[in-house]
Amino acid sequence: MVNTKKVLDHGFVTLRNLAGPTRRVFQSDQFEALGGTPQLRHFDASDVDPANAARMSFGGQDQDRDYETEMKLNRYLMKNKHMTPFEMVVVWLEMKLPIFVARQFVRHGTARLNEISGRYVTLPAEWYIPEVVGAASADKKQGQVNTLPPLIQTAFQDDLKEQCAASYKLYLAYIRDGVAAEHARLFLHLNHYTHWLWKQDLRNMMGFLLLRDHGHAQIEAQAYAKVITELLHPHIPGLMDLYTDIMRGEGLS
């Protein structure tokens, strides 16, 4: 099962782990009964985890209930904004992303992250060049539209590549001359790639996705949010369908 997806030109997202409060070793038929597929058994988390956690309030957890019953409770919880049970599922992601995208993501203070440090390692020659260069939107202060003439887009891409390559060359040269990496990295641009581990509970992950997979979010941020949703869905399909249906409002109820 592939748990890594490419994003942008040099970026990616990997689903490293997805865990709930219950340790599981599934047989194929057991996993299918919980809404998954047999080849996805290596993560502990299940669609039923939030409902089972919610039943702790009445001392009714860990009883034998079918998948439909648990999903009915999950729907009730999410629809009525009883969201703490969804915090009992935790997501670990590995991401490589441009610095300017990363700095938008760290606004989500519920996440825990460990980022590669340009103080300790020489960062690779990886910077983001947009495939489509956006024009400034006339009707809002932020955002972009795809209306720039191809000639301007090509010139922007070429100039950006040239500037990034020249800056990276200086970055390496000054490291070789003995300048501390934490200062040499000042030559690098906001479109240079960084790399981190990201940990977040499912409730707040859904809130993160809701904001970043939105038409008002920056296009590059949307690309990462869409990929994260795609990575999560095969493992907890019922919960991600509820997210789409209720939180995003794309369902019928």
Side-chain angles (χ1 to χ4, degrees):
M1 177 63 191
V2 176
N3 288 312
T4 298
K5 286 185 178 287
K6 187 176 184 295
V7 194
L8 306 181
D9 46 6
H10 298 293
F12 67 83
V13 178
T14 298
L15 179 58
R16 295 287 298 261
N17 201 9
L18 181 63
T22 303
R23 187 72 176 94
R24 295 181 173 91
V25 179
F26 289 118
Q27 300 298 322
S28 295
D29 57 342
Q30 292 174 320
F31 196 83
E32 289 174 305
L34 293 174
T37 51
Q39 67 267 30
L40 304 178
R41 286 176 291 170
H42 54 291
F43 292 145
D44 284 337
S46 164
D47 279 333
V48 304
D49 283 334
N52 190 46
R55 295 185 191 280
M56 174 67 73
S57 299
F58 300 97
Q61 72 280 1
D62 298 332
Q63 296 181 14
D64 188 18
R65 296 181 176 88
D66 60 36
Y67 179 80
E68 289 73 20
T69 298
E70 297 298 74
M71 288 308 300
K72 184 177 180 181
L73 177 55
N74 283 335
R75 175 173 289 275
Y76 171 85
L77 293 168
M78 188 176 290
K79 198 169 184 179
N80 290 278
K81 297 181 171 54
H82 301 307
M83 295 299 291
T84 52
F86 297 92
E87 296 176 11
M88 295 296 170
V89 177
V90 182
V91 182
W92 286 261
L93 299 170
E94 180 181 353
M95 302 187 219
K96 180 178 281 189
L97 65 174
I99 291 171
F100 72 91
V101 178
R103 294 307 167 254
Q104 293 177 8
F105 286 3
V106 295
R107 300 284 297 175
H108 297 268
T110 58
R112 301 292 178 267
L113 60 94
N114 274 43
E115 184 176 7
I116 193 169
S117 175
R119 297 183 66 194
Y120 305 130
V121 301
T122 301
L123 298 174
E126 294 175 330
W127 44 83
Y128 168 61
I129 306 296
E131 186 175 345
V132 175
V133 180
S137 176
D139 60 351
K140 53 186 177 182
K141 293 182 179 179
Q142 60 183 15
Q144 57 180 277
V145 290
N146 186 11
T147 58
L148 277 180
L151 189 63
I152 294 178
Q153 293 195 45
T154 299
F156 178 93
Q157 292 162 339
D158 290 345
D159 284 343
L160 185 57
K161 290 175 188 175
E162 182 181 340
Q163 291 297 314
C164 288
S167 295
Y168 190 76
K169 183 178 179 180
L170 288 170
Y171 164 70
L172 293 181
Y174 279 109
I175 287 177
R176 287 193 297 268
D177 287 344
V179 173
E182 61 191 63
H183 278 169
R185 63 182 172 173
L186 299 180
F187 280 104
L188 303 180
H189 295 240
L190 284 174
N191 63 331
H192 210 92
Y193 275 84
T194 189
H195 190 179
W196 66 26
L197 287 174
W198 176 284
K199 174 188 173 187
Q200 196 169 32
D201 67 71
L202 185 63
R203 172 195 182 171
N204 286 291
M205 175 63 70
M206 288 176 172
F208 164 78
L209 295 174
L210 188 65
L211 289 173
R212 296 307 173 185
D213 185 7
H214 188 281
H216 291 165
Q218 187 156 342
I219 287 174
E220 290 82 5
Q222 291 182 49
Y224 279 88
K226 291 180 190 301
V227 161
I228 293 168
T229 301
E230 291 171 9
L231 287 169
L232 289 173
H233 192 276
H235 303 280
I236 45 173
L239 295 177
M240 295 309 294
D241 284 347
L242 287 181
Y243 158 75
T244 300
D245 182 0
I246 299 172
M247 293 184 68
R248 293 187 63 85
E250 297 176 7
L252 299 177
S253 58

